[in-house]
Amino acid sequence: MRGTRTVLVLGCSLALAVTVAPAGARPAAAPAATPATADVAHVGLAQLAKLDGHPTAGVMHKGDNRLYVTLQEGRVVAISPDGSVMTALNITSRTHMDNERGLLGIAFAPDAKHAYIYYTDNDGNINVDAYGVRGNGSFNPATRRRLLFQVHTSEPNHNGGNLITGPDGYLYIGLGDGGGAGDPFRSAQRLNTFLGKILRIDPRRHGSAAHTIPKGNPFVHVAGAKKEIWAYGLRNPWRFSFDKKTHNLWIGDVGQGTLEEVDHVGNGKGVNFGWSAYEGTNRFNQDQNAPHATFPVYEYAHSANPGGCAITGGFVYRGTAIPSLVGQYLFADLCTEGVRAISSTDPGAGEHPVTSSPSSIVAFAQSPAGEIYVLSHDGPVFKLTP
């Protein structure tokens, strides 16, 4: 994505855009952005805190009413309902904010006894670490254990960064394609690299291995394939989530220079989402083939109104505080203001504005009850309210 107001850019290489090759046989176009005639709901924003740093991700877990937020500079903070902030972890000696690099993602184990973080180290390489969680909610540095390591390219962008614990209890990890413009390393369609993929692992050790490969992973018996891969053909999946009700996977995948896309299909197992043979539904790199690609359920052009430059994926709303939002998939764009929505059952009906602010929305977070928090990369953290 790419933003002009803040340091973080999330993969939309506008200045470096590659010319799109002429389209060959094209799939049916995904539903495009349509002007909204009315808000989905009367929705407000209650500011929970204004953080001293640049938020990148947030998570909550049962038994704790605090929102845990990663700051790109290298800290994890826990925000209480009264707005007070506690530092849960500080890894500023091992990472730094540079373009899209830094501390980017966080998740908890189902029992909340362990936490997982995703960051780029001082050499720009991708790390996923596990920590034991103390009784007060802080992470114990002495228990740090590396779960995953991926050498990144010389490019500073498309680092991915999303971590979620899925409904099956496994850890899902989203990586970008390695950066640059136009997938220059042709990573997204290759099954011998983690780049451009969503992975699924069991974070428990397996002998000398740092993690375990779940038996149901789709490529465990494919020669040469990384066995951790769950889904592929992604450019920079900047936030994905599972619907709390249906357990279906929703992905906001950042486009190149023309289209932003929302991907959705079942639980995503083994799915090829098409990059870089396609950008959304547009044919892109002609030397890439994706004959069985699954295309977006929704896309919008950068030039559309409201348009944008870099999608921030969110959640299907399953809370109770705002009944008229139930079943709506919430998302945003780093370069426009406000929360947007499409119907999870009828994406073709078009999108609607939900709020008119804030700016620089970089992530959403979901409470155990299904309520939604909105994180601005500028520092403020909000909760959606009736």
Side-chain angles (χ1 to χ4, degrees):
M1 301 173 166
R2 180 175 185 266
T4 56
R5 290 181 292 272
T6 57
V7 174
L8 184 71
V9 291
L10 304 171
C12 181
S13 306
L14 296 180
L16 301 173
V18 170
T19 301
V20 177
R26 290 180 55 185
T34 56
T37 56
D39 287 357
V40 170
H42 178 68
V43 178
L45 287 167
Q47 183 167 311
L48 180 62
K50 173 67 166 68
L51 298 176
D52 181 18
H54 295 81
T56 51
V59 68
M60 298 185 76
H61 65 81
K62 290 181 180 180
D64 192 335
N65 62 2
R66 292 173 293 184
L67 174 65
Y68 288 78
V69 175
T70 55
L71 301 178
Q72 192 177 358
E73 293 87 344
R75 290 186 295 130
V76 178
V77 298
I79 311 173
S80 296
D82 64 4
S84 59
V85 178
M86 176 194 81
T87 296
L89 181 69
N90 187 326
I91 63 161
T92 52
S93 64
R94 297 204 306 278
T95 189
H96 63 281
M97 185 171 68
D98 171 26
N99 196 282
E100 293 176 30
R101 294 169 174 161
L103 178 54
L104 303 174
I106 183 171
F108 282 95
D111 63 5
K113 292 182 179 179
H114 293 88
Y116 313 112
I117 61 167
Y118 184 124
Y119 64 97
T120 57
D121 60 29
N122 289 321
D123 295 319
N125 297 317
I126 292 167
N127 295 258
V128 178
D129 290 352
Y131 288 86
V133 179
R134 298 185 177 111
N136 68 352
S138 64
F139 303 173
N140 184 352
T143 64
R144 175 194 170 208
R145 179 169 66 88
R146 176 184 280 173
L147 294 179
L148 192 91
F149 177 80
Q150 170 65 49
V151 174
H152 202 260
T153 69
S154 59
E155 301 289 347
N157 58 339
H158 300 195
N159 299 286
N162 207 43
L163 282 182
I164 59 174
T165 298
D168 53 11
Y170 292 128
L171 187 64
Y172 290 76
I173 306 167
L175 289 86
D177 66 7
D183 194 15
F185 306 100
R186 299 301 191 262
S187 301
Q189 289 296 315
R190 289 193 288 115
L191 295 178
N192 62 351
T193 176
F194 291 151
L195 298 175
K197 313 297 189 299
I198 291 176
L199 314 179
R200 185 178 79 145
I201 67 169
D202 182 336
R204 295 174 295 183
R205 288 185 184 275
H206 180 69
S208 61
H211 60 262
T212 303
I213 307 296
K215 291 182 179 178
N217 278 16
F219 302 106
V220 292
H221 301 300
V222 176
K226 295 286 189 180
K227 294 175 174 53
E228 291 87 346
I229 294 173
W230 182 253
Y232 67 110
L234 295 160
R235 187 170 181 272
N236 198 38
W238 189 253
R239 305 314 176 202
F240 56 91
S241 63
F242 287 98
D243 185 335
K244 287 177 71 71
K245 179 180 179 181
T246 67
H247 295 173
N248 287 341
L249 178 66
W250 290 82
I251 307 169
D253 194 24
V254 180
Q256 176 68 36
T258 304
L259 296 172
E260 301 300 309
E261 67 181 73
V262 175
D263 295 308
H264 160 64
V265 55
N267 62 11
K269 180 179 179 179
V271 173
N272 179 0
F273 290 104
W275 175 256
S276 63
Y278 294 90
E279 179 193 12
T281 54
N282 285 352
R283 193 73 170 98
F284 196 78
N285 282 325
Q286 292 285 0
D287 64 339
Q288 297 288 280
N289 296 310
H292 303 295
T294 295
F295 295 99
V297 295
Y298 185 73
E299 64 185 16
Y300 60 91
H302 292 183
S303 59
N305 182 14
C309 77
I311 192 169
T312 296
F315 294 87
V316 176
Y317 181 78
R318 297 298 181 188
T320 59
I322 313 170
S324 54
L325 269 188
V326 173
Q328 298 289 319
Y329 175 71
L330 307 179
F331 66 99
D333 191 287
L334 190 72
C335 298
T336 62
E337 295 186 347
V339 177
R340 297 147 75 164
I342 56 175
S343 167
S344 63
T345 57
D346 186 15
E351 71 172 69
H352 303 269
V354 176
T355 68
S356 59
S357 63
S359 60
S360 303
I361 296 175
V362 71
F364 294 85
Q366 185 181 56
S367 76
E371 302 305 332
I372 298 296
Y373 294 83
V374 181
L375 284 63
S376 168
H377 194 240
D378 298 331
V381 176
F382 303 90
K383 185 178 182 180
L384 291 184
T385 61

